Amino acid sequence: MNSLLLAVIGVGMILAGYFLYSKFLASKIYALDDSRPTPAHTMEDGVDYVPTNKYVLWGHHFTSVAGAAPIVGPAIAVIWGWLPAFLWVTLGTVFFAGMHDMGALWASVRNRGQSIGALSGRYIGKHGRNLFLVVIFLLLLMVNAAFAVVIANLLIGTPTAVIPTWGALVVAFLVGQAIYRLKWSLPTVSVVGVVALYALILVGNSAPLALPETVWGLPDKAVWIILLFVYAGIASMLPVWMLLQPRDYINGLQLFIALGILYGSVLLARPEVVAPAYNQNVPDGTPGIVPLLFVTIACGAISGFHGMVSSGTSSKQLNKESDARFVGYFGAVGEGLLALGAIIATTAGFRTLADWENVYQAFNDGGVNAFVQGGGTIIEAGLGLPQSLSATIMATTAILFAATTMDTGVRLQRFVVQEIGDVIGVTVRKNLATFIAVAVALALTFGAGVDGSGGLLIWPLFGTTNQLMAGLTLAILAIMLIRRKRNPLPALIPLVFVGVVTIYALFIQLGTFYEQGNWLLLVLDVIILVASIWVIVEAFGAMKAARSYTGDDDAELLAEATYEAEDARE
């Protein structure tokens, strides 16, 4: 199989999904309506609720949801062969991820920018909401802790990426000032920002930086992790326009350029895919492809984390409802293209099958390093860029995406802490909520030692927890559609599929953790399993009740939003 044919078919399928299926969803299922004011206008506060240009918001949304996961998941999953990963990424992006992400954005906008956790209280019930918040808290904890460790490892392993990684913060801050204070045109800001970012990559490639092995008695990895959490904590409290939005926007452009470089190199080099279509010679210890494929590749097919971003930060910045199609669905398209690029890089970026098998000697042996290595090889063969510069571009891309997810994750964790405070009747201010979010993640990260290994302690549960979140978000969407007498099948079919394979995977993991004697993960697995089954049962009860609902949900929500907006103005 030639990688160029694989790329053409995959890109064609994903783009067809955007131009055809998303149009159907926007008009017939979600009925997006620009005459309805969005929370960004009715609740504008200049900090979290800010009406935003759809291209800038797409950059924030896309880079927040993408992170390193659409690279890591496919780069691991190709151990079963390239074909299963290819099918799940392309079909998942079109029929699962795009529908889910745009739907979560729509649901939150119709409910005053409330998070999916809060929406579960309205549509499923108070017990469902409380259990939902537990799952969300654990999921964000896994993301924040694990991504800090992943980024620290990449900064140590690729010192040429240090300057562009931290220099990007300065570029983003200046871009924010140029857009909102100096009122530069978006195309001008975009060109200047991207040129500055790539200049930093060139500087970093020629001037690698590394911390001493120990700083103040701490290993370099621990120092990087602390610095990352200090940054994320500060960034999560700043107004979104000052750093978060412009940083994500420039990173989004950078990623599309990086993808252009990768796909352009595939076009020029046309390397053969050396990995088998379906690998019947998987290494010992590799779990079964069903159901693990569908939880190993989460971002890039469907991911519950996307619903949290859609309803956590993006919905509060949506300028008008019709923008949800571009921000939500096309955000999923961008991630699908990234996942497809990861599949190509990790299956066609090696000279022979033996070279590929040498990397994939065991499950979890692939990942970001295989992406950087394979992608660098393809770019060198296609565009003739030196291997070191190609690797720096790939590593910087992976780091910047992981970092944007981490700072958004800390902001979302702050919202969740405040929502939990509301549930128990305690008002938690922004600074305290941020401190709690960072402190808990740091405690987990360093709980197993100063090497930060604790950050990956509960990561094995990420895939299943994340997919259950997606299923629960789909359940809310289905309830909302049933109450409006619209066709719920676009949400129900993915819900049933994701629910079955994920609960199946949780039971398999339960047995694995028991055999390993890993009691921490076993207890958490049981908690997540029980909570999720409970919420699902309540959700199907709510769907049954929604069938007999005779009110006008849209009219009621609009009346509530109008009343609250008038009350806030007074």
Side-chain angles (χ1 to χ4, degrees):
M1 181 73 172
N2 189 276
S3 58
L4 179 58
L5 182 59
L6 195 63
V8 169
I9 295 173
V11 172
M13 290 172 66
I14 291 173
L15 290 182
Y18 174 71
F19 288 113
L20 300 176
Y21 191 52
S22 76
K23 189 175 182 181
F24 164 74
L25 293 174
S27 62
K28 303 297 183 184
I29 302 300
Y30 297 131
L32 302 181
D33 180 2
D34 285 345
S35 68
R36 301 174 66 94
T38 62
H41 291 282
T42 59
M43 303 172 71
E44 183 174 0
D45 63 2
V47 178
D48 296 315
Y49 294 84
V50 179
T52 303
N53 178 288
K54 72 175 183 180
Y55 298 106
V56 175
L57 182 56
W58 172 84
H60 157 68
H61 179 81
F62 170 45
T63 54
S64 296
V65 301
I71 297 173
V72 175
I76 291 174
V78 294
I79 197 167
W80 290 298
W82 61 263
L83 184 58
F86 174 82
L87 291 175
W88 178 225
V89 163
T90 50
L91 297 177
T93 296
V94 172
F95 295 107
F96 289 62
M99 187 278 167
H100 169 276
D101 296 8
M102 181 166 63
L105 200 48
W106 163 75
S108 178
V109 166
R110 289 287 171 101
N111 283 274
R112 305 185 305 286
Q114 289 183 328
S115 72
I116 286 297
L119 295 189
S120 64
R122 181 186 188 97
Y123 292 102
I124 297 178
K126 291 182 178 178
H127 294 302
R129 176 198 59 192
N130 298 343
L131 294 169
F132 218 137
L133 287 175
V134 171
V135 176
I136 292 173
F137 186 89
L138 284 173
L139 183 59
L140 287 171
L141 182 60
M142 293 176 201
V143 169
N144 295 334
F147 275 32
V149 176
V150 169
I151 297 169
N153 285 336
L154 282 168
L155 288 172
I156 293 171
T158 317
T160 54
V162 171
I163 287 179
T165 295
W166 293 101
L169 299 180
V170 179
V171 173
F173 178 80
L174 295 176
V175 165
Q177 299 298 313
I179 293 176
Y180 288 99
R181 291 192 185 279
L182 303 178
K183 307 297 183 184
W184 286 18
S185 70
L186 195 57
T188 303
V189 174
S190 305
V191 171
V192 172
V194 170
V195 169
L197 188 57
Y198 270 85
L200 286 170
I201 290 176
L202 291 174
V203 172
N205 190 60
S206 58
L209 285 181
L211 291 175
E213 289 188 6
T214 57
V215 179
W216 302 316
L218 294 173
D220 53 353
K221 187 174 174 180
V223 176
W224 280 130
I225 291 172
I226 292 171
L227 289 174
L228 286 164
F229 272 113
V230 169
Y231 152 72
I234 294 172
S236 72
M237 291 189 290
L238 292 175
V240 289
W241 65 268
M242 192 173 287
L243 186 60
L244 197 69
Q245 267 187 9
R247 169 173 162 76
D248 293 351
Y249 175 62
I250 291 300
N251 284 348
L253 293 178
Q254 191 270 340
L255 174 74
F256 257 71
I257 293 172
L259 281 177
I261 292 173
L262 179 61
Y263 281 109
S265 299
V266 170
L267 175 64
L268 295 172
R270 299 189 293 278
E272 288 294 321
V273 177
V274 298
Y278 184 75
N279 190 8
Q280 296 179 313
N281 187 33
V282 295
D284 292 339
T286 302
I289 186 171
V290 178
L292 267 297
L293 170 71
F294 304 102
V295 295
T296 301
I297 301 179
C299 299
I302 183 170
S303 164
F305 184 74
H306 294 197
M308 295 162 62
V309 175
S310 293
S311 63
T313 55
S314 300
S315 63
K316 297 175 177 60
Q317 303 168 59
L318 198 74
N319 187 41
K320 55 185 180 181
E321 280 201 2
S322 61
D323 289 352
R325 182 186 171 205
F326 183 78
V327 175
Y329 199 100
F330 199 70
V333 165
E335 188 168 83
L337 293 177
L338 178 58
L340 180 62
I343 291 171
I344 293 172
T346 54
T347 58
F350 299 90
R351 287 188 307 109
T352 64
L353 175 61
D355 288 347
W356 182 80
E357 288 178 335
N358 191 43
V359 172
Y360 285 87
Q361 293 186 21
F363 189 64
N364 278 332
D365 270 1
V368 174
N369 290 334
F371 171 75
V372 171
Q373 182 182 346
T377 301
I378 292 175
I379 292 172
E380 182 183 23
L383 298 179
L385 296 182
Q387 171 70 22
S388 61
L389 179 58
S390 303
T392 300
I393 293 173
M394 290 292 104
T396 302
T397 301
I399 290 172
L400 291 181
F401 270 72
T404 51
T405 298
M406 184 182 167
D407 53 30
T408 300
V410 172
R411 184 179 286 259
L412 293 174
Q413 189 76 312
R414 184 242 293 176
F415 293 152
V416 172
V417 171
Q418 290 177 307
E419 285 181 8
I420 292 174
D422 290 340
V423 170
I424 60 178
V426 177
T427 300
V428 184
R429 295 189 180 277
K430 183 171 69 175
N431 292 353
L432 178 59
T434 302
F435 175 79
I436 292 172
V438 171
V440 172
L442 276 172
L444 174 66
T445 307
F446 293 116
V450 293
D451 61 350
S453 57
L456 298 174
L457 207 58
I458 60 175
W459 183 251
L461 286 169
F462 171 77
T464 45
T465 309
N466 189 45
Q467 297 307 68
L468 275 173
M469 267 300 303
L472 298 175
T473 301
L474 289 168
I476 291 174
L477 295 180
I479 293 168
M480 290 183 67
L481 293 173
I482 292 171
R483 285 168 70 118
R484 286 163 176 76
K485 315 302 180 193
R486 295 181 199 151
N487 181 5
L489 289 179
L492 278 176
I493 294 173
L495 165 62
V496 171
F497 181 83
V498 170
V500 169
V501 297
T502 306
I503 289 178
Y504 181 18
L506 270 171
F507 275 110
I508 289 178
Q509 285 187 323
L510 204 61
T512 303
F513 298 146
Y514 177 76
E515 290 173 0
Q516 294 172 346
N518 194 331
W519 307 118
L520 172 64
L521 291 183
L522 188 143
V523 170
L524 288 176
D525 193 304
V526 170
I527 291 172
I528 293 168
L529 190 57
V530 171
S532 302
I533 292 175
W534 192 341
V535 174
I536 288 172
V537 170
E538 290 207 15
F540 277 101
M543 286 182 207
K544 188 176 179 182
R547 295 177 63 186
S548 57
Y549 176 75
T550 56
D552 187 336
D553 208 20
D554 279 332
E556 292 171 12
L557 292 172
L558 185 59
E560 287 178 17
T562 304
Y563 174 78
E564 290 194 3
E566 291 175 350
D567 193 44
R569 279 195 291 272
E570 292 174 358

